[in-house]
Amino acid sequence: MFKVGLTGGIGSGKTTVANTFAAYGVPIVDTDLIAHRVTASGGTAMHSIREQFGSTFITTEGAMNRTKMRELVFNNAQAKQLLESILHPLIRIEMDREMQAISGPYVICVVPLLAEEGNWRKRVDRFLVVDCAVQTQVANVIRRNSFTCKQVQAIIASQATRQTRLAVADDILINEINRSLLPQIALLHQLYLYLARCSIPLQRRILSNV
């Protein structure tokens, strides 16, 4: 199956894009949703998280305390690496399991850390980046999550830069108020159907002007 890796910074509109592709009948595998499952009560990551971070990072329901963990890893690179070493292998296992159970010409894999982790180039055939201005990201997250501007800026600073994501992109969706996503996604859907049918290597191209 042809695999498209979908990424973008926080508040860029990844979920909206994924939902629009899903409306075309495209299977979606979302690593964020998988991460929530493995860190929920009874999730496969919980034993290691409790063992490595202690019970203060576990809610009374037995799930990972996402608020406390977010505060920790934003200020502690070693803790961030430790958490990722627990979660990432489990997420990849669950992702592969989901992909084995679906069918279709192509699949969208939603991966927030696509640009940060170089090994994703081996796992997907195409990188699709949802791009918008940092000011747009901040406004979207504040509206959606009620975070403060400072909190959102800290999250953005911890992610790959906008330039880094654009540098690895095969295709780019512009998500700004003056650019409708729908016609851009419609065109990309046709492109991915075509690429999925092709058996010859195709040159990378940027669709930033869709």
Side-chain angles (χ1 to χ4, degrees):
M1 183 182 294
F2 190 80
K3 298 179 286 295
V4 177
L6 169 63
T7 194
I10 185 172
S12 61
K14 294 185 297 295
T15 300
T16 299
V17 170
N19 289 342
T20 305
F21 275 105
Y24 282 106
V26 180
I28 307 295
V29 176
D30 191 327
T31 58
D32 253 357
L33 295 181
I34 294 173
H36 276 78
R37 287 205 304 269
V38 300
T39 57
S41 178
T44 53
M46 292 313 302
H47 174 75
S48 296
I49 289 173
R50 185 184 295 274
E51 192 173 65
Q52 295 295 327
F53 292 95
S55 58
T56 56
F57 289 89
I58 311 297
T59 68
T60 54
E61 293 79 19
M64 183 180 76
N65 188 319
R66 300 182 68 84
T67 301
K68 284 185 66 68
M69 188 64 76
R70 187 185 301 115
E71 292 172 354
L72 174 67
V73 299
F74 278 164
N75 299 297
N76 188 321
Q78 187 175 2
K80 182 174 183 286
Q81 288 183 333
L82 177 58
L83 181 64
E84 290 175 348
S85 72
I86 295 171
L87 295 184
H88 289 183
L90 296 174
I91 290 171
R92 285 193 288 269
I93 290 170
E94 290 300 316
M95 177 182 169
D96 290 342
R97 184 176 297 150
E98 283 192 21
M99 292 182 65
Q100 289 172 5
I102 61 181
S103 61
Y106 75 94
V107 60
I108 295 284
C109 304
V110 185
V111 188
L113 298 180
L114 197 72
E116 288 90 334
E117 295 186 18
N119 65 347
W120 278 104
R121 177 55 74 183
K122 300 176 182 178
R123 297 176 64 84
V124 299
D125 302 293
R126 197 91 172 169
F127 280 6
L128 171 58
V129 171
V130 188
D131 182 57
C132 63
V134 172
Q135 297 94 319
T136 303
Q137 289 180 257
V138 172
N140 288 343
V141 178
I142 290 175
R143 184 171 58 251
R144 182 186 69 194
N145 298 98
S146 299
F147 288 178
T148 66
C149 181
K150 186 176 180 180
Q151 287 174 315
V152 181
Q153 289 172 336
I155 296 171
I156 291 173
S158 73
Q159 298 180 332
T161 65
R162 184 181 183 187
Q163 291 74 21
T164 298
R165 283 191 294 270
L166 294 178
V168 301
D170 294 308
D171 308 303
I172 300 169
L173 285 169
I174 308 299
N175 188 19
E176 295 287 0
I177 193 168
N178 61 339
R179 293 289 295 273
S180 174
L181 280 172
L182 296 179
Q184 298 179 72
I185 293 172
L187 187 57
L188 282 175
H189 176 57
Q190 294 304 315
L191 172 66
Y192 295 150
L193 289 174
Y194 169 73
L195 294 179
R197 292 193 295 266
C198 288
S199 58
I200 58 174
L202 286 154
Q203 185 178 8
R204 295 175 65 194
R205 67 171 176 166
I206 302 298
L207 296 181
S208 56
N209 293 320
V210 173

